[in-house]
Structure formats: C-alpha cells, structure tokens
C-alpha cells in the first residue's frame, strides 16, 4: 500500500470527514473526537512536556513515538485531502507548520482576538489537554475582533479538533485562564520562507524563555508582539 494511501494511525478519518462545514461567521468545522479516546493515555504519555507559557515550534520539543504518530497523520497526504475537500481549497503548493501550546498564565494579553496572518491558508487546532474544566480559556470562533462576541467555543481537550479557513475576518481568541492548556496548531502556509520564519521565531522565543531574566521580559510583552503580529 502506498504511503499516501495508508490509513491513519491515530486520527479518526470518518469523524473528520463527517464534520459539518459551518459558513458563519467564516468557514470552520468542529470534530468532537478526531482522536479516539482509546489512544488518550498512550498519546499523552508521549506528548511534549512544556513547562513554560506560550507556544513552541515542534522542532524545539521532545516527544515519543505515539505523539509522533499523530504528527505523521497530520502531515500525510490523506489528511491534506480531507481538508481540501472540506474547504474546497487547493493546498498542493502550501507548506505545513506545527506549533504547540502547553500552559497559559491567565494574563490579560493571552488569547487576544486576531484573524491569523494572511500567509496562513487553513488552520487546524487539535486539543491535547487531559481535561478542561474551566469556562474560560476555550478557543472562541468570533464574529468580530471582540473576545466577547463568540459564535462557537472549542475546549482544548484531547482529541477535539477545530479547523478554519483563514480570511480577513477569521477572528478567534480566548478569555484568559491559568492552567495546563495543551493544544497543537497545524497550519498550511503560502511559502517555504514563511514556514522557516515561523520556526525561527519560535526557536528564538524558546531560547529566551529558557533564561529566567529574558523569560520574565518575554512574559511582560503583549502577545501580538511575541507572535510577530499573527
């Protein structure tokens, strides 16, 4: 069987394919369980350990084979085809980027409303938190640039997936909440140079956060500057 036709190791293809495409306020789809719960313990045991707040590029993280199997599913032509069919978009000339969040501090500047950079074509958020018992901290699909103007809320729990097509009004964000908020962001971007820039920026951020003094300074900066205006 060709690699491109191999079945997923972890992702639930039927659940992803069946997820309804919602058009309002922009194109998005929600999958309640994109990873079956039978995989939860083994995948979370192999997931990256992220002690600091913020987002890290996958190249800067260590993880085990069961988590790596999820990444391989996401990077596969099979998953790309599912997303292309869902959003009626051609991703053949795009490049993938993968970053991961591990914790939030509850600071006011976390989760600010933004539409994603124009270089992103489709964004996929996949939850890895063992649980999320809080009302705040859920990713919100927003009707405007206000975090209070929510059309849908996505809890970052294991296996839950949110996909959306990036546009000038694809606003999303979350209300600040301190906790272990593990979620993976997989994006198709429009150029290899932007993909490299994404990983370079996160590498520099990871280095800064590894040094106590710099970590404090980075934490005080508004998130939009730390993320490069995404």
């Amino acid at each position: 069987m060709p690699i491109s036709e191999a079945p997923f190791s972890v992702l639930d293809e039927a659940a992803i394919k069946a997820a309804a495409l919602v058009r309002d306020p922009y194109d998005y789809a929600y999958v309640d369980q994109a990873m079956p719960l039978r995989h939860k313990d083994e995948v979370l045991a192999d997931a990256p350990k992220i002690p600091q707040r913020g987002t890290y590029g996958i190249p800067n993280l260590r993880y085990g084979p069961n988590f790596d199997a999820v990444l391989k599913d996401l990077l596969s032509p099979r998953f790309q085809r599912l997303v292309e069919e869902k959003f009626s978009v051609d991703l053949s000339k795009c490049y993938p980027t993968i970053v991961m969040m591990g914790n939030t501090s509850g600071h006011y500047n976390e989760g600010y409303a933004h539409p994603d950079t124009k270089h992103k074509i489709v964004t996929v958020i996949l939850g890895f938190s063992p649980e999320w018992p809080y009302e705040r901290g859920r990713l919100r699909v927003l009707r405007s640039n206000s975090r209070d103007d929510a059309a849908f809320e996505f809890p970052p729990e294991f296996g839950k997936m949110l996909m959306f097509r990036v546009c000038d009004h694809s606003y999303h964000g979350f209300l600040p909440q301190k906790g272990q908020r593990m979620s993976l962001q997989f994006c198709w971007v429009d150029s290899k140079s932007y993909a490299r820039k994404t990983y370079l920026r996160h590498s520099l951020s990871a280095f800064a956060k590894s040094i106590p003094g710099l970590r404090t300074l980075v934490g005080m900066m508004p998130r939009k500057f730390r993320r490069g205006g995404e």
Side-chain angles (χ1 to χ4, degrees):
M1 181 181 293
I3 293 177
S4 62
E5 298 301 323
F8 292 137
S9 297
V10 182
L11 294 182
D12 186 331
E13 180 172 4
I16 296 170
K17 190 170 184 177
L21 177 65
V22 182
R23 299 284 190 178
D24 181 42
Y26 48 84
D27 292 355
Y28 74 91
Y30 169 68
V31 189
D32 186 63
Q33 209 63 58
M35 294 186 290
L37 289 175
R38 67 178 181 273
H39 295 299
K40 180 176 180 178
D41 291 343
E42 62 191 30
V43 170
L44 291 186
D46 280 358
K49 303 301 186 287
I50 305 177
Q52 307 298 336
R53 62 177 284 190
T55 306
Y56 292 74
I58 281 296
N60 298 113
L61 297 173
R62 294 182 179 181
Y63 46 85
N66 291 300
F67 183 85
D68 186 59
V70 178
L71 300 183
K72 288 178 179 176
D73 282 354
L74 292 171
L75 289 165
S76 69
R78 196 179 194 95
F79 182 65
Q80 179 175 310
R81 284 198 301 273
L82 283 176
V83 175
E84 287 177 327
E85 292 171 2
K86 183 78 65 184
F87 293 96
S88 299
V89 62
D90 181 6
L91 299 171
S92 61
K93 296 181 181 180
C94 297
Y95 297 83
T97 62
I98 307 176
V99 301
M100 191 159 187
M101 172 182 285
N103 296 275
T104 50
S105 67
H107 196 271
Y108 77 95
N109 66 20
E110 288 185 313
Y112 75 100
H114 64 288
D116 270 357
T117 173
K118 64 182 180 180
H119 295 287
K120 294 181 180 179
I121 309 303
V122 175
T123 294
V124 178
I125 310 293
L126 184 59
F128 282 89
S129 300
E131 60 181 359
W132 191 258
Y134 314 106
E135 287 299 320
R136 298 166 69 92
R138 297 168 182 251
L139 187 69
R140 293 182 163 188
V141 172
L142 301 172
R143 298 184 183 90
S144 67
N145 62 356
S146 170
R147 287 187 289 189
D148 295 320
D149 193 11
F152 179 77
E153 287 191 323
F154 164 78
E157 296 173 353
F158 179 85
K160 298 187 183 301
M161 177 183 283
L162 178 70
M163 304 175 279
F164 62 89
R165 186 168 183 171
V166 178
C167 64
D168 60 0
H169 61 276
S170 55
Y171 285 99
H172 55 284
F174 58 86
L175 298 178
Q177 174 65 55
K178 185 175 182 178
Q180 183 188 32
R181 189 181 186 280
M182 296 177 63
S183 63
L184 179 149
Q185 182 189 95
F186 180 98
C187 296
W188 281 276
V189 301
D190 60 5
S191 68
K192 184 180 291 187
S193 63
Y194 186 79
R196 289 173 176 167
K197 177 183 174 182
T198 296
Y199 286 132
L200 175 60
R201 183 171 66 250
H202 283 91
S203 293
L204 293 173
S205 176
F207 172 74
K209 283 180 283 191
S210 70
I211 301 173
L214 287 178
R215 181 166 66 238
T216 300
L217 181 61
V218 170
M220 293 172 61
M221 295 173 62
R223 193 176 179 196
K224 62 182 178 181
F225 296 120
R226 289 185 280 119
R227 290 181 52 163
E230 292 183 339

